[in-house]
Amino acid sequence: MASPFRQRSVLPGFGLSLGFTLAYLGLIVLIPLSAAFLKIAGMSWHDFVAAVASPRVVASYRLSFGVALLAALVNAFFGFIVAWVLVRYSFPGRRIVDALVDLPFALPTAVAGIALSAIYAKNGWVGQWLDPLWARGVGKLATVVPWIDWKDWLGGTLAFDRPGIFIALTFIGLPFVVRTLQPVLAELEPELEEAAATLGANRWQTMTRVILPELFPALITGFALAFARAIGEYGSVVFIAGNQPAHSEITPLIIITKLEQYDYRGATAVAVVMLVASFLLLLAINLLQKWSRRFSAV
Amino acid sequence: MSAVTTAPFPVRRAPVRAVGPRVVRNPWWVRVIFMTIALSFVGFFLLLPLVAVFVEALRKGFGAYFHAFADPDARSAIRLTLTAAAIAVPANLVFGIAASWCIAKFNFAGKSILTTLIDLPFAVSPVISGLIYVLVFGAQGWLGPYLGAGDHPWLGEWINQHDITIIFAVPGIVLATIFVTFPFVARELIPLMQTQGNDEEYAALTLGANGWQTFWHVTLPNIKWGLFYGVILCNARAMGEFGAVSVVSGHIRGETNTMPLHIEILYNEYNFVAAFAISSLLAMLGIVTLILKSFIEWRHMQAKTS
């Protein structure tokens, strides 16, 4: 069965396995996904814009993308330190910490959501200390810089307000950064750092001028993966966000709300906006990985 | 392609190196600061939620804890979760083997596009994963009009006589679960089979084995750990999925509620002990998943160094 479309091989089963793969992919993924795009094709431009650009929906984009960005940035910073400690230092319990990093993949999002809200609520383990501090800090900011509505921006409490969304998205995103950095960090040759040291660099210079540039592509990729996941996250966020309309309402929740009102077109329109955003991000991540592979090949 | 929700099977991960030579070591105070930051971050964001699940579940003692499982709705939720995973995981397992066989063993046009498309479900928000099935199978959807009992001369007699419900019923939950766990097995197997190459399969064929024999006796033993790795991650996600299942389920107590959805209902009813008790089962599943995962990685590392 030689064809210009594939190289000749003596192994059997190409037709069967490819046929099954394409059929399954089409039925489960491609046809249902195209249903979303076809649904909005029947909408007038005016209706589409009214659905995706109403003030409440725009507020949700700002919140979802803004908090996801912030959480991914925090994860990039702390994820780097966690990866560094796991690769470079040996200490008792390192294997356990290493396994624990994958917890957000293994723990169902709903369980994570209720556990995080129990911890960071006003009477929770951490919340009983941190929540009054947060409220006082926001209050102080409001007296020092009164022309910004700090309570609206930062939320008055930790759980059941905007900070809760940040906490949940940080939880969800951490493993992406750590797991992208770890292999690169492990392959980093100590000779490189030794060379820097013999040339008179101190540890700080070696860190900022030798190690960080090497890790940069992996760090950006991990950051982008955490960001992409955080934008679409629903399960852990709804339990801790408080879900106040136009204030702490994330975009996936807007889709659910519209569905509950039987506004299928509106829900699909917002979904398509999110789908396009995540496909663009996926494309960016792929290009980033090609770029970082070119770096590591040198 | 990128890892969008899982850590890759450690084919690509190099062994972790212990503390290096003296010049490349950080001063002790830097090490202390790094360790403190890293461990407290992991402690506050990862360890504490896990511990909290069990503490909250046992807040009113073992009696209240076990009482939560006596509820028939809880039992039916557990059964439904197990059913959905029992269908979704084998389906994606067969798909993963087929996809990795054609992608890793053959060269053909459009291979990288196919690999990208397989990862697509990871880029889709769970809520949207549920929504697209409502658009296809829901009452207002493409196939909606044909699913109810009716008179469609070109459909089979059986379909016309039966009311088939997919959305707000078990089939929808299974489909949504299959969608969100779609890439797990395939994405672990493809890189693994690519690094292993085709030489052993060629040898088996030369020695007279047929295609199935080659697969069962040569390929499968080589990929079994990678396969297991993909399956446990797929299973963890299948049992824990919330967003997608929430959209298609309809939340009918005792009928279309999975464990995560039942947790939501209990939590919203302020029945915290029961909510955390059901959660503790899923948390235990998560812990077992992490232990198995570490064990497979450890085995893989041992095999590599020996």
Side-chain angles (χ1 to χ4, degrees), chain B:
Chain B
M1 248 332 265
S2 54
V4 184
T5 40
T6 55
F9 185 69
V11 264
R12 286 148 283 173
R13 193 187 293 177
V16 176
R17 202 183 318 123
V19 184
R22 202 167 178 81
V23 282
V24 301
R25 238 189 267 176
N26 290 336
W28 68 268
W29 55 271
V30 173
R31 267 185 281 168
V32 169
I33 292 173
F34 269 39
M35 287 274 289
T36 315
I37 295 175
L39 292 183
S40 33
F41 193 75
V42 168
F44 273 103
F45 276 98
L46 302 178
L47 188 60
L48 219 50
L50 187 62
V51 176
V53 171
F54 293 99
V55 172
E56 294 288 330
L58 293 171
R59 175 149 295 208
K60 291 192 180 142
F62 282 94
Y65 179 78
F66 287 112
H67 186 71
F69 301 110
D71 179 11
D73 289 345
R75 288 185 179 207
S76 115
I78 294 171
R79 258 200 310 276
L80 182 56
T81 292
L82 292 176
T83 313
I87 300 170
V89 175
N92 285 333
L93 170 71
V94 172
F95 162 73
I97 291 175
S100 54
W101 182 265
C102 67
I103 288 172
K105 301 285 181 195
F106 300 92
N107 275 319
F108 56 94
K111 193 157 109 164
S112 64
I113 297 175
L114 182 60
T115 318
T116 308
L117 287 178
I118 288 174
D119 265 347
L120 213 53
F122 278 166
V124 175
S125 168
V127 170
I128 299 175
S129 315
L131 169 72
I132 57 176
Y133 283 99
V134 174
L135 293 180
V136 175
F137 294 110
Q140 312 280 318
W142 281 357
L143 301 179
Y146 308 115
L147 290 173
D151 185 27
H152 303 289
W154 37 275
L155 284 179
E157 198 174 320
W158 189 85
I159 297 187
N160 275 329
Q161 280 171 0
H162 291 78
D163 237 340
I164 304 169
T165 42
I166 290 181
I167 297 307
F168 306 141
V170 177
I173 292 172
V174 172
L175 280 173
T177 308
I178 290 180
F179 182 93
V180 294
T181 57
F182 186 86
F184 276 98
V185 179
R187 66 165 310 121
E188 302 304 338
L189 287 187
I190 292 168
L192 181 66
M193 275 164 79
Q194 273 171 340
T195 50
Q196 284 173 347
N198 294 351
D199 294 348
E200 294 188 28
E201 280 81 8
Y202 289 150
L205 288 172
T206 318
L207 293 170
N210 65 30
W212 284 113
Q213 287 172 323
T214 309
F215 175 74
W216 279 109
H217 298 292
V218 178
T219 310
L220 202 58
N222 276 337
I223 59 168
K224 63 176 186 230
W225 290 107
L227 195 69
F228 187 44
Y229 194 87
V231 165
I232 56 167
L233 293 176
C234 181
N235 180 58
R237 180 73 194 268
M239 291 193 175
E241 178 52 30
F242 177 76
V245 170
S246 165
V247 174
V248 295
S249 126
H251 306 271
I252 307 162
R253 275 187 106 139
E255 278 180 45
T256 63
N257 265 342
T258 60
M259 283 164 82
L261 298 178
H262 191 62
I263 292 170
E264 185 195 21
I265 289 185
L266 293 170
Y267 190 80
N268 288 341
E269 287 172 346
Y270 301 101
N271 192 348
F272 296 129
V273 168
F276 279 103
I278 308 287
S279 295
S280 73
L281 278 191
L282 288 172
M284 280 187 250
L285 168 78
I287 294 171
V288 170
T289 305
L290 290 184
I291 292 174
L292 285 175
K293 191 171 168 295
S294 305
F295 170 72
I296 300 171
E297 285 171 356
W298 173 80
R299 251 197 75 97
H300 187 77
M301 228 72 93
Q302 296 286 351
K304 219 176 180 181
T305 47
S306 70

Side-chain angles (χ1 to χ4, degrees), chain A residues 39 152 168 209 234 272:
Chain A
K39 182 93 184 170
D152 183 51
R209 304 228 180 131
Y234 174 72
V272 164

Side-chain angles (χ1 to χ4, degrees), chain A residues 89-128:
Chain A
Y89 303 160
S90 57
F91 54 94
R94 202 202 64 202
R95 295 197 60 88
I96 296 173
V97 176
D98 192 40
L100 206 60
V101 167
D102 277 329
L103 185 72
F105 291 149
L107 196 70
T109 51
V111 177
I114 65 170
L116 286 171
S117 41
I119 294 170
Y120 290 92
K122 276 194 179 99
N123 55 357
W125 292 344
V126 179
Q128 58 181 314

